Amino acid sequence: MAIVAMYGIAMSKDSPAPTPGFLVWRLANKWRVAVDRAVAPLGLTHAQYSVVASLYGMQHAGERPSQRQLADHTGLEALYVSKLARALEAAALVERTRNPRDPRAVQLALTVQGRRVARDAIEVVHELLGQLLEPLGGLDAERTHAFTDDLTALLGVPLAPPAPHGDHTRRGSP
């Protein structure tokens, strides 16, 4: 019952409406699946798309980010970015090189083929985003800009696990 209350999953007409957390989770999953399907013909997964699209934008701005910088930019774990970068390197889409100023850091760059795939994928995902945002009036609608501002504000809130409470969390308790 606690899980039902936590996520606000409506079980009947008398159940509470879905919570914002549940709706964010559902929307994130819906988006991930849709992007996975949209970029699959290009040989990418949603996570790989996040890496190549971010690299594309960063390179366009004159940056050659490290794996850590890309992880910070995408919100993905650094170890996961490293795994994705190795797979993308094997597919000849990304080059991984040691930073001459810091040999521990690995810099990433798209190959010529990687830039082509990234452009194609960005175009496909942009069209998909237009479909998603149509109920708000489309990509350039005032409601979409307000929604983007709200999402940006929520992403800026630091989250930490709640402090332990109750007898079951004390050391030595079962």
Side-chain angles (χ1 to χ4, degrees):
M1 188 62 164
I3 291 175
V4 170
M6 179 173 60
Y7 287 111
I9 301 169
M11 302 299 284
S12 71
K13 287 190 272 184
D14 299 326
S15 295
T19 64
F22 178 72
L23 294 172
V24 166
W25 178 73
R26 287 284 313 272
L27 183 58
N29 281 314
K30 177 181 179 173
W31 181 249
R32 183 192 49 77
V33 169
V35 172
D36 267 337
R37 289 179 181 153
V39 299
L42 298 169
L44 299 174
T45 65
H46 179 262
Q48 290 171 330
Y49 167 76
S50 297
V51 168
V52 298
S54 294
L55 267 176
Y56 185 84
M58 294 171 99
Q59 276 185 231
H60 191 70
E63 299 177 49
R64 185 171 179 141
S66 68
Q67 289 181 164
R68 163 57 61 196
Q69 289 168 317
L70 189 61
D72 291 343
H73 177 79
T74 61
L76 298 170
E77 294 292 327
L79 191 59
Y80 190 41
V81 169
S82 176
K83 179 182 173 183
L84 291 167
R86 283 192 304 274
L88 291 165
E89 181 181 43
L93 301 177
V94 168
E95 294 173 340
R96 298 169 67 239
T97 57
R98 293 283 172 197
N99 183 330
R101 292 183 304 273
D102 181 0
R104 297 169 296 159
V106 174
Q107 289 180 302
L108 302 173
L110 292 170
T111 63
V112 171
Q113 180 182 350
R115 286 191 298 275
R116 181 187 52 76
V117 169
R119 275 192 306 269
D120 292 347
I122 289 167
E123 185 177 316
V124 166
V125 172
H126 186 76
E127 289 176 25
L128 190 62
L129 185 59
Q131 291 175 36
L132 177 71
L133 296 173
E134 189 59 38
L136 299 181
L139 288 165
D140 294 320
E142 187 176 319
R143 284 184 66 198
T144 297
H145 292 294
F147 179 60
T148 301
D149 291 344
D150 289 345
L151 291 172
T152 301
L154 292 173
L155 285 169
V157 175
L159 296 178
H165 62 283
D167 291 338
H168 65 283
T169 60
R170 285 192 214 138
R171 289 184 179 236
S173 296

